[in-house]
Amino acid sequence: MASEGMVCPHCGAPAEAEALLCVACHRPLSADRPPRPDDRPAEAVRSEPPPRSPTPRAAARRAPTANPFAQELARRLARLAQWEENVEPLGVELPHLPAWAEEAARVAPNPEPWAEVVRGIERIAQRRIVAAFEEWEKRTKGRLTRLEAYAVDSRLERDQIEDTLHAARSGDIAQALATYRQVDRVVAIKERHLDQAREELERVLSLLKDMQVLGIDPPQEPAETAEDLEAELRAGKLAPLKQQIRALRLQAVSRLKSHLPRYITEYGDYLVDERTHGIATELEAVELARGARDFFQGHAEEGLRRLRALQETHGVPTGRARASRAAR
């Protein structure tokens, strides 16, 4: 008689407590193993209903599915941030998706409405960028017109401006911004070279005029020289122009080194003579000393400008002062 509760672990048939083999399937029995819940007759196992699969809601709670729009959202928001950073020189302000809306879009079970919101923000941003580029086009073409008045070639920059606007209007904002930066950089370099030449021209002409006012003959007549140098500048001959300006300045400074000390001495005597007649000339003496110091320290234009201002405000030496100096 089979021991109560002892069954074959393979086929579930009743087995004697001391039996080593199952009489039904002839497989070894493990007498020291207690019965397990699944050590049941095959009929009992077959009679039980199969386990039910988890409901969709329960499965969703256990393993939430990733939002397919989350990655696309992150990419689009990163692009908007890049646009905003790069268009800052254009002075345009782009719309934003609030932080709470970003979070809601990432976890939304239906991302399509949020996708449309982001697309709308992109469209608004693109329109603002295009409008900013159109304003930049007007300003830049005005700058190019000035350069062209000095024979500076700007055909390439005009073509690139059109490329920038085309890229912006077609949605390729990154390419538009890259071309925009290139055009802006090149135009700024050309303007700087032109402005430097213009400044050097005006400085040397001012130097010649100041010499003339102080009674020291300049190496060239200022009015004629201004016409010649301006013609060189208008022709776009910047390199020859700068060489010409440097040579002219060297001539002027050389002549000043020969004649300016005498002028300073005469004007100093003039101030001393006025002081002996009760006229306060302390401030004028300081200005005279500063003008002389500026010149002999290598700042010829600044020194002569100070001396000319002193002469225009205080006057020139009088005949009485000259006579007094001659008597001494």
Side-chain angles (χ1 to χ4, degrees), residues 92-113:
V92 58
E93 185 177 353
L94 301 184
H96 299 274
L97 186 65
W100 65 266
E102 290 185 27
E103 183 62 25
R106 289 191 179 96
V107 301
N110 180 19
E112 186 55 33

Side-chain angles (χ1 to χ4, degrees), residues 68-144:
F69 181 61
Q71 186 174 2
E72 177 69 10
L73 174 68
R75 186 184 68 81
R76 289 178 177 273
L77 292 177
R79 182 169 61 177
L80 283 171
Q82 186 180 25
W83 288 359
E84 184 174 17
E85 180 181 356
N86 291 328
V87 301
E88 185 176 353
L90 291 171
V92 58
E93 185 177 353
L94 301 184
H96 299 274
L97 186 65
W100 65 266
E102 290 185 27
E103 183 62 25
R106 289 191 179 96
V107 301
N110 180 19
E112 186 55 33
W114 287 108
E116 186 56 35
V117 170
V118 176
R119 294 188 195 103
I121 291 176
E122 287 180 337
R123 286 192 293 269
I124 295 173
Q126 182 180 351
R127 284 199 298 268
R128 292 185 182 180
I129 292 174
V130 169
F133 273 131
E134 290 172 348
E135 291 298 321
W136 167 77
E137 176 194 21
K138 296 176 184 177
R139 295 193 305 269
T140 306
K141 285 187 174 180
R143 295 163 65 188
L144 293 179

Side-chain angles (χ1 to χ4, degrees), residues 199-219:
E199 181 181 355
E200 291 176 11
L201 185 153
E202 292 177 353
R203 284 170 64 87
V204 74
L205 290 177
S206 176
L207 182 65
L208 299 181
K209 292 176 182 178
D210 289 343
M211 290 178 66
Q212 204 171 43
V213 171
L214 296 181
I216 302 173
D217 292 333

Side-chain angles (χ1 to χ4, degrees), residues 110-181:
N110 180 19
E112 186 55 33
W114 287 108
E116 186 56 35
V117 170
V118 176
R119 294 188 195 103
I121 291 176
E122 287 180 337
R123 286 192 293 269
I124 295 173
Q126 182 180 351
R127 284 199 298 268
R128 292 185 182 180
I129 292 174
V130 169
F133 273 131
E134 290 172 348
E135 291 298 321
W136 167 77
E137 176 194 21
K138 296 176 184 177
R139 295 193 305 269
T140 306
K141 285 187 174 180
R143 295 163 65 188
L144 293 179
T145 300
R146 174 177 176 263
L147 291 173
E148 290 164 351
Y150 291 91
V152 179
D153 187 15
S154 59
R155 289 172 293 178
L156 177 60
E157 287 73 37
R158 287 188 178 275
D159 291 340
Q160 289 177 325
I161 289 174
E162 298 302 323
D163 294 340
T164 300
L165 288 171
H166 176 74
R169 288 166 180 158
S170 62
D172 193 355
I173 303 299
Q175 180 60 42
L177 290 170
T179 310
Y180 148 75
R181 285 193 293 269

Side-chain angles (χ1 to χ4, degrees), residues 312-326:
E312 289 177 345
T313 57
H314 193 70
V316 295
T318 62
R320 186 180 59 181
R322 291 193 180 92
S324 176
R325 289 195 298 273

